């Protein structure tokens, strides 16, 4: 495992140029910049975090091959036909698969204002049966849920309200209390850390991401 030395100083500039050009010929001409400044460092970061998470008893793992998402987009069902993403991202999970439903640690290096640079600990779009069970657990054990929220808040983290339902889901119509209503309307359970693009070249980014995962531990547990 190569220690994470930070992303290359051309990482964001490459993504900006890729956003402008968006063609295969330009990408192939500049692929060495992509590999050196983005893909290889992200692989190093995934493997370093996997090792550090294991030592700390955090359940997420990955590797430099399976954990990274492709820079090339699948445009078959998208209105946006641009062939390349404006970001590069990776996901660590309990099984090491990108499709694990047991929660994940996600990191994204992207263009400010487009996809941004950030990390998240999440249960993202759980399948319906799992989401219903999570909602029922909140209703059945409200004080346990509130204790988790309080612990996250103490650690400087709050749940994202992204894509939250406008109304209570079916079967939960009678739930009341503002905090419980907000919780059961969630489609996802996510805490997030913003990453300053100016700091992605710093090897200490790995330390900040590890600290974020530890602060998210009430949700993980």
């Amino acid at each position: 495992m190569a220690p994470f030395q930070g992303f290359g100083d051309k990482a964001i500039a490459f993504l900006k140029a890729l956003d402008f050009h968006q063609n295969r010929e330009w990408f192939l001409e500049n692929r060495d910049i992509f590999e050196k400044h983005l893909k290889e460092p992200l692989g190093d970061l995934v493997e370093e975090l996997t090792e550090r998470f294991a030592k700390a008893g955090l359940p997420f793992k990955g590797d430099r091959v399976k954990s990274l998402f492709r820079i090339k987009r699948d445009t078959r069902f998208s209105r946006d036909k641009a062939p390349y993403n404006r970001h590069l991202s990776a996901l660590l999970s309990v099984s090491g698969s990108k499709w694990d439903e047991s929660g994940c640690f996600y990191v994204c290096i992207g263009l400010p204002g487009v996809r941004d640079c950030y990390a998240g600990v999440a249960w993202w779009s759980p399948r319906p049966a799992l989401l219903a069970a999570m909602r029922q657990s909140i209703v059945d054990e409200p004080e346990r849920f509130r204790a988790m929220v309080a612990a996250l808040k103490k650690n400087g983290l709050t749940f994202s309200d992204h894509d939250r339902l406008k109304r209570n889901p079916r079967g939960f119509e009678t739930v009341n209390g503002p905090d419980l209503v907000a919780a059961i309307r969630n489609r996802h359970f996510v805490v997030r850390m913003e990453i300053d693009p100016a700091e992605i070249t710093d090897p200490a980014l790995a330390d900040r991401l590890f600290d974020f995962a530890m602060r998210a531990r009430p949700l993980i547990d």
Side-chain angles (χ1 to χ4, degrees), residues 123-140:
W123 272 254
W124 188 262
S125 293
R127 56 189 169 82
L130 177 57
L131 181 57
M134 294 169 81
R135 287 168 170 163
Q136 191 62 53
S137 179
I138 291 168
V139 173
D140 291 344

Side-chain angles (χ1 to χ4, degrees), residues 30-119:
N30 294 274
R31 189 180 187 112
D32 57 334
I33 298 176
F34 167 69
E35 297 280 348
K36 181 178 179 181
H37 291 257
L38 274 164
K39 187 176 180 180
E40 290 179 9
L42 184 55
D44 293 340
L45 179 61
V46 165
E47 294 190 342
E48 179 167 331
L49 288 175
T50 293
E51 184 174 290
R52 294 177 71 170
F53 287 173
K55 290 179 179 178
L58 291 169
F60 304 135
K61 64 184 179 182
D63 65 54
R64 64 190 316 114
V65 175
K66 295 179 181 178
S67 298
L68 274 62
F69 288 91
R70 297 175 62 192
I71 191 78
K72 191 167 178 15
R73 299 179 63 243
D74 182 350
T75 62
R76 290 174 297 172
F77 307 107
S78 174
R79 292 182 180 180
D80 180 4
K81 297 302 180 182
Y84 296 99
N85 286 311
R86 289 85 165 175
H87 65 276
L88 188 66
S89 60
L91 186 146
L92 291 76
S93 69
V94 174
S95 68
S97 164
K98 290 199 289 284
W99 317 116
D100 195 319
E101 293 187 328
S102 302
C104 69
F105 181 95
Y106 179 78
V107 59
C108 177
I109 303 300
L111 289 181
V114 178
R115 187 63 178 264
D116 295 328
C117 296
Y118 68 95

